Amino acid sequence: MSLLKVAAFASGRGSNLQAILHAINNGDLACEVVLVISNNRDSAVLSLAREQQIPAFHLCREQFASGEAFESRLLRVLQDAGTELIVLAGYLKKISSAIIRAYRGKILNIHPALLPSFGGKGMYGRHVHKAVLDYGCKVSGVTVHLVDEEYDSGPPVVQKCVPVEAGDTPESLAARVLTQEHRAYVEALQFFAERRVEVKGRKLLIYEKNN
Ligand code: GRF
């Protein structure tokens, strides 16, 4: 089976992309990262991609005269690279509906909590973990989900739990969640790479592996 061609969108440090590349380089994930796009010129994720000879672009709305011009450039870059699946790995911008239409069911996001709790607009980074702790939750976790037109609302692909421990701070909880994020993203991607996923409305069916 051919390697699944993946484009990654990210804004920051890129530890999820790093985990994905690590799994690919170890032969544990049948994907190829063909493209990295960041809205942030100085993001670590662009350097990480370039170190590994992955085409990496700084692209953001502000560089273009209109939203349409930005979207059509993004689409062209994605299509020229042969992108089959998009992963959002800490991408802080909303994906436009034109991209969602072009890649419906083929865009994944990772959220550092158990959706549908603690998701939606403004729920990112430290805010998520602080809200989990303020609520007094005993567990938190990670959700890899399909992207649709709303924030954090598409069907889950993989979810993993972590305990909330006495004395946790948003930072300590974030670190515990992050270790599971790296596992969850690789697991979710492998389902797509093995073409084992079917989307039926809100349900994502994951078929058994053919031996
Ligand atoms: C992760 O916590 C992810 O859940 C969220 O943004 C963060 C990105 O971290 N969407 P990194 O850039 O992959 O290290």
Side-chain angles (χ1 to χ4, degrees), residues 15-210:
S15 74
N16 277 287
L17 178 62
Q18 201 154 20
I20 290 166
L21 291 171
H22 186 74
I24 291 173
N25 295 338
N26 280 348
D28 294 331
L29 182 55
C31 294
E32 180 190 359
V33 177
V34 291
L35 182 65
V36 173
I37 291 172
S38 181
N39 60 305
N40 174 3
R41 183 195 301 279
D42 302 319
S43 57
V45 80
L46 286 177
S47 322
L48 170 70
R50 289 176 184 138
E51 274 162 26
Q52 304 217 18
Q53 281 79 48
I54 298 168
F57 296 92
H58 167 234
L59 280 175
C60 63
R61 166 68 186 84
E62 293 71 28
Q63 297 163 323
F64 295 83
S66 67
E68 290 73 28
F70 173 49
E71 281 155 26
S72 72
R73 178 71 205 286
L74 269 183
L75 269 177
R76 201 167 58 244
V77 170
L78 287 165
Q79 284 159 359
D80 287 352
T83 304
E84 297 172 277
L85 188 90
I86 298 172
V87 298
L88 308 183
Y91 187 62
L92 294 176
K93 298 284 178 188
K94 198 157 192 275
I95 294 293
S96 72
S97 47
I99 306 273
I100 294 174
R101 271 198 305 279
Y103 284 92
R104 189 166 300 280
K106 292 179 180 142
I107 309 178
L108 298 180
N109 182 41
I110 188 156
H111 183 74
L114 295 171
L115 293 174
S117 294
F118 306 108
K121 198 166 188 316
M123 273 295 179
Y124 60 89
R126 191 178 194 278
H127 302 291
V128 178
H129 306 293
K130 183 173 184 310
V132 168
L133 294 177
D134 287 350
Y135 195 85
C137 290
K138 300 296 185 193
V139 294
S140 189
V142 51
T143 304
V144 178
H145 64 94
L146 287 178
V147 171
D148 63 15
E149 279 79 359
E150 305 302 323
Y151 279 106
D152 299 327
S153 84
V157 182
V158 170
Q159 292 189 296
K160 289 188 186 294
C161 293
V162 303
V164 173
E165 287 172 7
D168 258 338
T169 60
E171 289 69 29
S172 64
L173 180 57
R176 195 173 310 116
V177 169
L178 191 65
T179 60
Q180 293 306 317
E181 290 190 34
H182 298 159
R183 297 199 177 105
Y185 229 160
V186 169
E187 202 175 294
L189 269 172
Q190 186 66 349
F191 292 147
F192 284 85
E194 293 172 347
R195 279 75 174 173
R196 290 164 57 197
V197 181
E198 189 184 343
V199 185
K200 287 205 164 163
R202 273 212 70 81
K203 300 271 160 47
L204 215 104
L205 307 181
I206 307 207
Y207 295 110
E208 289 299 313
K209 222 169 164 168
N210 289 331

